[in-house]
Amino acid sequence: MRLVARDVLRAVRERDAYANLVLPALLRERGISGRDAALATELTYGACRSLGLLDAVIEAGSGRPVDEIDGGLLDVLRLGVYQLLRTRIGAHAAVDTSVAMARNEFGQGRSGFVNAVLRRAGEKTAEQWVEQLAPADPVGRLAFEFAHPVWIAQAFADALGVRAGELGELLAADDARPLVHLVARPGEITAEELALVTGGAEGKWSPYAVYLDGGDPGRLEPVRDGLAGVQDEGSQLVALSLTRAPLDGPDGGRWLDLCAGPGGKAAFLGALAAIDRFRVDAVEPSEHRAELVRKSTKDLPVQVHVVDGRDSGLTPGYDRVLVDAPCTGLGALRRRPEARWRRTPADVRELVVLQRELLAAAWDLVRPGGVVLYSTCSPHLAETVSVVGDFVRRSAAIQLDTRALLPGVTDIGDGPGVQLWPHRHGTDAMFMAALRKPL
């Protein structure tokens, strides 16, 4: 299990690989399942999430910057320190297995270095290391304690606004292992039936959501048979909001997903559209991701267009357009454990330009009286209320109270947009805003 975790950490460090893609493949390849797979998953994702804290402790224990430590040894050290500080694994087992791993690959001398660093790391608890190493300012301290870059923690605090006192609770939720969320395909299976078949629990907010405590959802029969898919409940609420938004005039059944890859929302919209014999166009500029959309929407009334959403060439007149815009993904960090250490503030500036262009393109494609729903899996104010507010000021868009499109969902902000949060709703931190084009 530890070797699998070490190998995933190495792939993430050397190739910028995605842990949630590499790990399942390695587990299958090596025939690891059950409790062993669960431990490998916890060690892998936990170490990826905790990188900032782990590296600070390693630097303190070694007396040198981590970028001066051999990469292979650093992977072993990160895995060892994570076990010491953030799991119930005994200190003796955590140190001995890490030293043996280093000895087998690098020899006796370097394994002694690993042994020395880990023994120093184990002299204090995680709380004591936080006391010693964390910045003094409140946001910096919380960011260090819950293993987030400071700029991301500050962005979350800004988005929480007057409720910034919830930052610690939010970061803790963001740092915890999330439940698996399934979506029951509308018209094929109900959430109640899916929960019974899978042993899961019906979702709290979406009538199509089911929660699983763990395991490989790809092995579940309903998922293999296309009756269900893996989709965060927040993403389900985005798609549902688009279909619930009030139009001026009848719904002619022309729907558009302008940023469709990899296809989760397009498939959900396609299943909902099929019930009323409506149709969905799905736009994705990358052929590889477009193929994923095709697979997700097989046998549904969805046509995939491999074009740039900013210049799609599609005929205007859509009743409903979803702009689930490319974003920093800061709201889904709990599901992408290494992503928090890859993003930078410069990413925000670049993506905001793209988001504004896509929203403008959607506006040109929606009919008078139709609705555009703008969403991001990021709560960063520059990607959410700023993009929408700027567009509303420049256009004649009528901003709807998006809260009304989520009946029963509580604590979603002061409107007119909606912000979901992991610590309040158990979902990714999805933002959504509905805009109607005047007649």
Side-chain angles (χ1 to χ4, degrees):
M1 298 84 70
R2 290 175 175 85
L3 284 175
V4 168
R6 190 274 316 271
D7 291 346
V8 177
L9 292 182
R10 179 169 296 178
V12 169
R13 176 180 53 79
E14 291 182 344
R15 309 197 313 267
D16 280 343
Y18 294 99
N20 63 338
L21 298 181
V22 175
L23 178 62
L26 274 183
L27 293 175
R28 287 193 296 269
E29 178 185 310
R30 300 181 187 182
I32 298 173
S33 59
R35 294 178 65 181
D36 288 345
L39 177 58
T41 301
E42 164 62 17
L43 295 180
T44 301
Y45 290 169
C48 285
R49 282 195 302 267
S50 306
L51 214 58
L53 171 65
L54 302 181
D55 285 358
V57 173
I58 290 168
E59 289 186 348
S62 66
R64 68 182 74 170
V66 290
D67 58 11
E68 293 181 6
I69 298 174
D70 178 89
L73 285 177
L74 186 58
D75 297 331
V76 174
L77 285 169
R78 286 168 170 169
L79 195 55
V81 173
Y82 179 76
Q83 293 174 78
L84 286 169
L85 300 185
R86 293 201 139 192
T87 74
R88 296 181 180 178
I89 294 171
H92 184 76
V95 173
D96 283 3
T97 55
S98 299
V99 169
M101 200 181 297
R103 183 188 302 116
N104 290 339
E105 185 170 1
F106 300 103
Q108 186 67 34
R110 290 188 174 186
S111 71
F113 170 72
V114 169
N115 182 60
V117 174
L118 292 183
R119 291 197 181 281
R120 290 190 196 109
E123 291 172 356
K124 295 182 176 68
T125 65
E127 292 75 17
Q128 289 170 331
W129 279 118
V130 170
E131 285 295 327
Q132 178 178 328
L133 301 175
D137 68 283
V139 172
R141 179 186 172 85
L142 287 171
F144 185 85
E145 181 180 356
F146 295 108
H148 284 68
V150 174
W151 77 272
I152 292 179
Q154 186 61 60
F156 287 173
D158 293 342
L160 285 167
V162 296
R163 294 176 64 174
E166 297 177 11
L167 180 61
E169 190 182 352
L170 166 57
L171 293 176
D174 210 37
D175 203 33
R177 179 176 66 89
L179 295 174
V180 175
H181 291 184
L182 299 181
V183 58
R185 176 166 286 185
E188 297 286 348
I189 190 173
T190 66
E192 180 182 17
E193 292 166 338
L194 181 60
L196 287 171
V197 171
T198 61
E202 290 182 63
K204 187 175 182 180
W205 312 114
S206 163
Y208 301 96
V210 168
Y211 306 152
L212 296 180
D213 192 37
D216 182 359
R219 296 177 181 268
L220 297 172
E221 187 175 343
V223 175
R224 290 201 312 268
D225 293 345
L227 300 178
V230 178
Q231 186 175 53
D232 183 81
E233 191 173 18
S235 293
Q236 297 176 40
L237 294 175
V238 167
L240 286 169
S241 294
L242 176 71
T243 67
R244 293 167 174 169
L247 308 177
D248 273 334
D251 192 335
R254 280 193 77 203
W255 298 356
L256 173 63
D257 184 350
L258 196 61
C259 311
K265 294 183 184 70
F268 191 27
L269 288 172
L272 291 168
I275 295 171
D276 292 316
R277 299 189 178 182
F278 292 170
R279 296 198 60 81
V280 179
D281 285 308
V283 168
E284 169 53 51
S286 160
E287 176 54 46
H288 167 68
R289 286 168 62 85
E291 183 58 28
L292 296 177
V293 180
R294 293 187 194 101
K295 289 179 180 178
S296 297
T297 59
K298 184 182 177 184
D299 301 325
L300 292 171
V302 177
Q303 183 175 354
V304 180
H305 304 265
V306 188
V307 291
D308 189 322
R310 293 169 292 182
D311 185 21
S312 65
L314 295 173
T315 304
Y318 288 95
D319 299 281
R320 304 179 187 273
V321 181
L322 174 63
V323 183
D324 183 39
C327 68
T328 55
L330 300 187
L333 295 179
R334 62 198 187 125
R335 300 193 187 279
R336 298 164 190 161
E338 71 289 325
R340 68 189 67 181
W341 307 110
R342 288 181 174 167
R343 285 299 190 189
T344 70
D347 296 329
V348 178
R349 293 189 291 272
E350 293 175 8
L351 285 162
V352 164
V353 174
L354 176 61
Q355 291 156 3
R356 289 176 172 174
E357 291 172 346
L358 286 165
L359 182 52
W363 197 247
D364 290 338
L365 290 167
V366 74
R367 69 164 176 82
V371 167
V372 172
L373 191 118
Y374 174 83
S375 68
T376 61
C377 57
S378 168
H380 197 297
L381 294 177
E383 300 185 88
T384 58
V385 294
S386 292
V387 169
V388 173
D390 180 68
F391 183 78
V392 170
R393 284 191 297 271
R394 293 166 179 260
S395 69
I398 301 167
Q399 188 164 5
L400 305 179
D401 188 343
T402 311
R403 296 173 299 175
L405 310 180
L406 298 176
V409 184
T410 58
D411 210 6
I412 50 181
D414 299 327
V418 162
Q419 180 64 65
L420 302 174
W421 292 106
H423 67 296
R424 293 184 197 167
H425 307 100
T427 67
D428 292 344
M430 300 295 300
F431 171 84
M432 62 194 90
L435 307 173
R436 189 165 62 210
K437 197 171 193 175
L439 291 171

